[in-house]
Amino acid sequence: MAATRDVPATEFSRNFARYRDEAIEAKVIRVTSHGRVIGAYLSASEAAHYEQLKRRERQSLVVGNLPADVVAAIESAEYGVEPK
């Protein structure tokens, strides 16, 4: 995956079609003004991923409904340590 690209707002607005196409490769074009990020243009795949994350953010889980192996994994988890 290509790195996120920063583009000044003026350049982004003047060359929107170019950056729309570049977003397909870069995934995210961050739009800046005076050195600050003021927005971003996401590729379709990144927008879908964002929507999926937002849906999961609102998901509620009931511990009593989780499989035993998931509960065991949560109980044995250590803060700051990546799962194996």
Side-chain angles (χ1 to χ4, degrees), residues 64-84:
N65 295 341
L66 294 175
D69 61 323
V70 173
V71 173
I74 292 170
E75 289 175 341
S76 65
E78 294 181 42
Y79 180 78
V81 177
E82 290 291 322
K84 296 176 178 150

Side-chain angles (χ1 to χ4, degrees), residues 15-55:
N15 299 296
F16 175 76
R18 175 179 153 205
Y19 292 112
R20 178 192 60 214
D21 293 341
E22 281 190 24
I24 294 168
E25 191 69 30
K27 305 290 185 201
V28 178
I29 303 290
R30 292 190 314 186
V31 181
T32 62
S33 178
H34 303 287
R36 294 181 309 121
V37 176
I38 58 168
Y41 187 80
L42 307 176
S43 67
S45 64
E46 280 299 304
H49 184 227
Y50 170 79
E51 291 299 325
Q52 178 187 27
L53 291 173
K54 292 300 286 181
R55 278 191 304 277

